[in-house]
Amino acid sequence: MGLGLRGVNLEPGTYRIPLYADDRRLYPIYAHCEDREIPIVLMTGGNPGPDLSYTDPATVDRVAADFPGLKIVLSHGNWPWVHQILHVAFRRPNVYVSPDMYLFDLPGSEDYIKAADTYLQDQFIYASAYPFTPLKDYAERFKRLPIRPEAMQKVVHDNAARILKLTA
């Protein structure tokens, strides 16, 4: 078809019949994407299902372990489980954290920022969560975060370009 698409977005907890991220019915999708080096954006943070259990970071940890070649980007940064998901990303180099609108003014913000500036700078990806946040204002606010320039470059460009194969 040649649409030029480079990734898959899954929001399993929002399906008509909600699923957890590690539901075995999703495994064929994960396997297909892993085999073809297609990254997945997985919504397991914020309000991704009928109750808090759909944000459980252990489900992401299991998927990342079962599909080590699959690049998994966590939209909403798996909030509110900030410490736990940072640990999952530390354990699993195929997990990328993208807190988007949950980065500011919420519990855990400082921990996301510290991780993006230091030990997880290669596994953080900038996103705005537009239309929930205004693009320009959010981008300007993000650029003012206390993140060193070399880490900021990775977060706002290099990491996403690498997993989307937009670099030479």
Side-chain angles (χ1 to χ4, degrees):
M1 218 166 165
L3 295 175
L5 303 177
R6 297 190 181 257
V8 171
N9 183 68
L10 296 176
E11 299 182 2
T14 66
Y15 298 163
R16 187 175 52 80
I17 298 173
L19 302 175
Y20 291 100
D22 64 347
D23 190 294
R24 294 294 174 160
R25 290 172 284 186
L26 296 170
Y27 273 46
I29 298 170
Y30 297 144
H32 178 88
C33 290
E34 181 181 44
D35 290 346
R36 289 157 184 80
E37 299 181 354
I38 299 169
I40 287 183
V41 176
L42 186 62
M43 188 177 82
T44 55
N47 293 303
D51 62 51
L52 187 62
S53 67
Y54 289 85
T55 63
D56 185 348
T59 63
V60 173
D61 190 37
R62 284 190 284 272
V63 171
D66 290 344
F67 299 94
L70 177 63
K71 303 292 188 208
I72 304 167
V73 179
L74 301 173
S75 64
H76 306 323
N78 215 105
W79 193 86
W81 306 103
V82 178
H83 292 140
Q84 293 83 351
I85 206 59
L86 294 177
H87 178 69
V88 170
F90 182 76
R91 289 170 46 107
R92 310 288 180 200
N94 58 324
V95 172
Y96 295 78
V97 181
S98 184
D100 51 63
M101 67 187 195
Y102 291 90
L103 183 61
F104 292 106
D105 305 322
L106 289 169
S109 299
E110 299 83 12
D111 298 302
Y112 283 137
I113 294 166
K114 183 177 183 179
D117 186 44
T118 59
Y119 68 101
L120 288 178
Q121 64 184 282
D122 294 320
Q123 290 169 257
F124 256 74
I125 295 181
Y126 167 83
S128 69
Y130 177 82
F132 299 109
T133 60
L135 285 175
K136 185 178 179 192
D137 293 343
Y138 186 88
E140 289 172 0
R141 188 174 182 194
F142 190 91
K143 286 189 255 179
R144 290 192 303 268
L145 289 173
I147 297 175
R148 293 169 297 118
E150 59 273 18
M152 182 66 79
Q153 175 65 29
K154 291 177 181 183
V155 172
V156 300
H157 177 270
D158 297 352
N159 296 338
R162 185 179 66 251
I163 70 167
L164 293 171
K165 299 181 187 230
L166 299 174
T167 57

